[in-house]
Every structure is written in C-alpha cells, then in structure tokens.
Amino acid sequence: MKKKALVTAGPTRENIDPIRFISNRSSGKMGYAIAKALGLKGAHVKLISGPVELGPPSSVELTIVETAEEMAEAVFKEFNWADVIVMAAAVSDYKPASVSSRKIKKEENNIDIRFERTQDILLEMGRRKRADQILVGFALETEELIKNATKKLREKNLDIVIANSEKAQSSDMADIWIIDRKGSRELNKMSKEKLGEIIANKILNYNKFSE
Ligand code: CTP
C-alpha cells in the first residue's frame, strides 16, 4: 500500500503589525527535497509549507501557511491520516504577545516587543503518536550537536532526528547527521536534493519494530 507522508517545510512568519513580521532564514529546500523524493518513491505526499521562493514539487499536495498557529492547525488536521510525518519546517518558537492592528509609528524612544511561546508542534505529535506512525524531527544546533539532537529524539518521542548546523539554513549544500535509537550516520557536503533522497529511503525502509 502507498505510504502516506506528511511533510512540513520553510519558515513561519509571526506578525508584529500589518507591515512587519519576525521570521528566520529557512529556505524550505530540505523539506521540499524530502517531499519530492518521497513522492518519486511512490508515497502519497502532503506538504505544508511556510512562505518560500520554491515552486511546488510535482506530485505532492501543497498547502501554504504563514504563522506557527496556522502550521499547527494544518498539521493536526492531517496527523491521523499520515503513516510518516517529517517536521522539517523552521517553526518560530516565539510570537509577539500582541499584534498591532495598525502600523506601529516610530517615536523618539526605544520600544520593547514582548514575545510569547508558540506551541511546540513536534512535541505534541510525539505525545499523540500511534505505535505504527514514524515521526521525524529536525534539530538545528550550534553546539554539542549529536548530544542535543539525541536528547530531542528521546524527549519528543521521535523515531528519527535529522541534525544540522546553522550553516545549512540558506545553502544548497549541507552536512547532516541522521540519528535514530540505534546510532547516527554522518553525511557530508551533499546537495539537499541528494540528502532528500537518502532521508526518504531511510524513512520508507525504517522498521521501528526491529529494535
Ligand atoms: N518545532 C515545532 N514547533 C515549534 C518549534 C519547532 O514543531 N514551535 C520543530 C521543528 O520543526 C523541528 C524541531 O522542532 O523539527 C526542532 O526545532 P529546534 O528549534 O531545533 O529545537 P527546539 O526543540 O525548539 O529546542 P531548542 O530551541 O532548545 O533548540
């Protein structure tokens, strides 16, 4: 039977006022490459993406969202449908505590913007996960990469973590570590297209009951 894959990609944008937002440097390339490769290998793919400058990969169903809240809503709508979930999106951890309905005008003084936490979508999926579902998360670390990523694997109840450093964010190439409960595999200086294929193979051949 066709595997059903839910993939997220790209950044989220959190509005400050009608003109401004905070976001991050995620290009969406890694998530799009994984979605494309899963589709080419025969999976039914639904891709939920933040705003990116990429065309939709052929043979995937694409939904565009903007904020972390919209991302969460779109993901939870499809969560039960999916056999595998790949959370490659760079979801903002914080959003402005209030959104001004009018443009914030400049004044003489400095201003402070208060930020509040967004929901950790991956953590919630780890809690809801069925025994037959495979949950894949990403970890972007600037230090103690393997140690921190392995901690995320356990704390968020993931099956696989793809760890990378901040250098991979906006580039076409990346060094990544694929980590599961049995160990880690390092992949150096590969194109995101190629990494997408390797990650898709790993996910589609993953047998979580062989431990
Ligand atoms: N993620 C999520 N919801 C959020 C923030 C992140 O689902 N609100 C997911 C990302 O899609 C990614 C994973 O969490 O798969 C890792 O995000 P990262 O920012 O590296 O780590 P955090 O868990 O947020 O922890 P920390 O900031 O402490 O590194």
Side-chain angles (χ1 to χ4, degrees), residues 87 89 91-93 118-122 137-140 152 156:
M87 193 71 203
V91 184
S92 178
D93 289 321
T118 58
Q119 181 180 21
D120 189 328
I121 304 168
L122 189 59
F138 272 69
L140 197 152
K152 262 173 209 170
K156 296 193 181 186

